[in-house]
Amino acid sequence: MTRIDAKFAELKAAGKKAFVSYVMAGDPDYQTSLDIVRGLPSAGVDIIELGLPFTDPMADGPTIQLAGQRALDGGMTLQKTLDLAREFRKGDTTTPIVLMGYYNPIYSRGVDKFLVDAKDAGIDGLIVVDLPPEEDAELCIPAQAAGLNFIRLATPTTDDKRLPRVMQNTSGFVYYVSITGITGAAEAEAADVAPEVARIQKAGGLPVIVGFGVNTPDKARSIASVADGTVVGSAIVSRIAAGDSVPDVLAFVKTLSDGAHSA
């Protein structure tokens, strides 16, 4: 059982929905990013999504694109991202970390080396948005053999014919992208999300976490009420971009987690 599996079991036993937060590793700089990540569990975050900076983030809107660019400009690398996770693990051995990004940096490092290093750094799962199920042998299956969950995205365009293929080697949870488009582009609506979540849950039996378009405590509550939890990224990253202090960022995150947990 991974930390992700254990967390969902714990939440289910408590009758709670999950709150997942996304931050870009190294934004606005390594130390500030580490301070924010360290504070997320106390702000009510159940699972941390740690963005891996990349030069061509095709699924991300301007907010997260710019965060990645700030991190890269500050010298952030895959190695430093793993270093950040390792530093976090010195004080927290239970909160799951999902590394979210693109395949190129992993491929450049070498899959076998990356998986050993990621596991050693305390990473629990991967979301690699540009590796479809047809490429499972590339990273998904080796990752699961190494003890890492491989989390797949499902979208409003994932029809009943495609869904079984998407679910085939997915583990941990399914990330449902609530809108068509890029991160931060529109708001998710619970009435639209609910039937899709039920369809995905039935197909795979895994928890379904809804992201993209969740940006307020009320929205976090409404989306979590029809899913197994919700994830917020761009709204948090926007606060970091605006220069909010670490305590202010974490206070905002707490309002979001309170919303999700009240669903």
Side-chain angles (χ1 to χ4, degrees), residues 98-161:
V98 175
L99 191 65
M100 184 172 186
Y102 299 84
Y103 185 47
N104 185 278
I106 296 169
Y107 177 78
S108 297
R109 190 181 189 90
V111 168
D112 292 345
K113 178 171 173 50
F114 166 76
L115 291 174
V116 170
D117 292 346
K119 185 75 173 173
D120 183 65
I123 301 296
D124 303 291
L126 304 174
I127 299 175
V128 183
V129 299
D130 55 348
L131 275 183
E134 287 74 16
E135 306 295 335
D136 274 357
E138 194 80 20
L139 179 62
C140 172
I141 292 171
Q144 304 216 80
L148 296 169
N149 289 125
F150 198 89
I151 296 144
R152 191 80 69 190
L153 304 180
T155 75
T157 60
T158 306
D159 60 21
D160 288 339
K161 183 179 179 181

Side-chain angles (χ1 to χ4, degrees), residues 15-17 220-226 258-263:
K16 290 175 66 177
K17 301 300 181 74
R221 181 183 302 109
S222 68
I223 294 299
S225 72
V226 298
D258 285 348
H261 289 148
S262 67

Side-chain angles (χ1 to χ4, degrees), residues 42-130:
S42 296
V45 172
D46 298 303
I47 299 173
I48 298 168
E49 270 184 27
L50 189 61
L52 176 60
F54 181 54
T55 52
D56 189 22
M58 66 182 83
D60 295 310
T63 299
I64 291 178
Q65 284 187 25
L66 289 169
Q69 195 58 56
R70 287 192 298 272
L72 291 169
D73 289 347
M76 203 63 181
T77 61
L78 171 55
Q79 181 58 54
K80 288 183 178 179
T81 300
L82 296 178
D83 291 345
L84 190 150
R86 187 175 286 104
E87 283 298 312
F88 171 82
R89 280 282 170 242
K90 291 179 180 179
D92 186 314
T93 60
T94 58
T95 304
I97 301 176
V98 175
L99 191 65
M100 184 172 186
Y102 299 84
Y103 185 47
N104 185 278
I106 296 169
Y107 177 78
S108 297
R109 190 181 189 90
V111 168
D112 292 345
K113 178 171 173 50
F114 166 76
L115 291 174
V116 170
D117 292 346
K119 185 75 173 173
D120 183 65
I123 301 296
D124 303 291
L126 304 174
I127 299 175
V128 183
V129 299
D130 55 348

